[in-house]
Amino acid sequence: MNVWLIAALFGLYVVTHGQLTPGGGFQGGVVLATAPLLIYLAGEYGTLRALSPTAGVDLLGALGAGGFVAIGVVGLIAGGIYLQNVVPLGPVGTVYSAGTIPLINLAVGLEVGSGFLLMLSEFLAQTLRIRARRKQ
Amino acid sequence: MYNKAVLMSDRSQTTRQRAWRWVAYALTWWIVLLGLWLLFVDSLARPEVLVGLAAAAIATLAALGIRARGGVRYHFRWRWLLLLRGVPADVLRDSWLLAALLWRRLVRGERPAAAFRTVPFPIGGDDPTSAARRAFVVTATSVAPNTYVVRVDRAQGTALIHQLAPDPPDQTRSPLVGMP
């Protein structure tokens, strides 16, 4: 059962619609991070670790942080203010109505999602390490 | 020579069939997830459909990645749902237990005597029913807030659980849902 896919899709929905409905990059990122956690619940810690290698998750986080900076710098160059909107605004209520905000949300979602995933993964690893130390 | 040609033809047919199965899998999930997306957004406006196509494609790519790593097949049994009948009561009991722990921690400064426990857990094989049973037990056990399953040890046939408020030592019932 690919329940985790539904969680991932909902996370993407929350990220991309932060300008229209409650949510945004941070909240959507947390939902995105819970999708691999569902895989852990359906399997075991080793599976989660194999599916979320630290280097890959770090790369996603870096892409998110770098994307945020890049969007800001583009605004600075084009408009003279960091994060200045440079994308034309669409009609109110549409998914592209908020200029660069959905792009910023996407960058934040990537960063937060990968950060939370790394944190959950490390938290479980730490739990196992403490357990191993107590057994010695 | 003839046998070699037949063998090669069989192999290429198998590869083709496998490729078609992958394509069918990806297309099915892409369509299903796009449908789900349209339910989320409650709109058929072109921008929403385009964003939905992209989001469904990202999720489908992730699904393909999991499948490529030998994603597990599950075969659930409906009768297992009966085992969940005790879970709501466990959630209420654990919530009360943890609220009391939190109160004692905040007011009296007592540290909770959290503990790890290794409990027997018949692992079963790699067949879809055993995989589904493991997933079911781990998920159902981790619903109540006091207990979560940290790992399953396949070699030992045990599960390592963590409890913030450990069960009394004389308790004979397994903390795992569905285990006697």
Side-chain angles (χ1 to χ4, degrees), chain B residues 14 39 47:
Chain B
T14 313
L39 282 176

Side-chain angles (χ1 to χ4, degrees), chain B residues 5-118:
Chain B
V6 169
L7 260 177
M8 280 182 71
S9 155
D10 281 354
R11 204 173 292 162
S12 82
Q13 201 172 347
T14 313
T15 312
R16 243 197 327 265
Q17 278 175 351
R18 203 175 293 159
W20 274 114
R21 268 202 294 272
W22 275 85
V23 171
Y25 179 83
L27 276 178
T28 306
W29 269 111
W30 197 24
I31 292 165
V32 167
L33 291 173
L34 177 65
L36 194 63
W37 180 272
L38 294 177
L39 282 176
F40 284 157
V41 298
D42 192 24
S43 161
L44 287 172
R46 190 184 293 177
E48 289 290 5
V49 176
L50 287 175
V51 176
L53 280 168
I58 292 169
T60 304
L61 276 176
L64 287 175
I66 303 282
R67 193 178 150 100
R69 283 173 176 268
V72 188
R73 286 186 179 280
Y74 296 108
H75 186 251
F76 282 89
R77 297 280 165 87
W78 287 104
R79 66 168 185 269
W80 293 346
L81 292 177
L82 288 174
L83 300 171
L84 295 174
R85 62 185 179 273
V87 172
D90 286 346
V91 170
L92 284 176
R93 190 203 58 199
D94 281 8
S95 300
W96 170 251
L97 213 62
L98 295 192
L101 269 184
L102 184 65
W103 175 258
R104 285 204 295 271
R105 173 71 179 150
L106 292 174
V107 176
R108 299 188 209 157
E110 287 176 18
R111 287 181 69 86
F116 291 100
R117 279 175 66 193
T118 303

Side-chain angles (χ1 to χ4, degrees), chain B residues 144-167:
Chain B
N146 184 40
T147 306
Y148 74 85
V149 180
V150 180
R151 76 179 297 191
V152 171
D153 192 330
R154 283 166 179 262
Q156 303 291 326
T158 56
L160 174 66
I161 62 160
H162 181 270
Q163 290 185 313
L164 265 175
D167 288 335

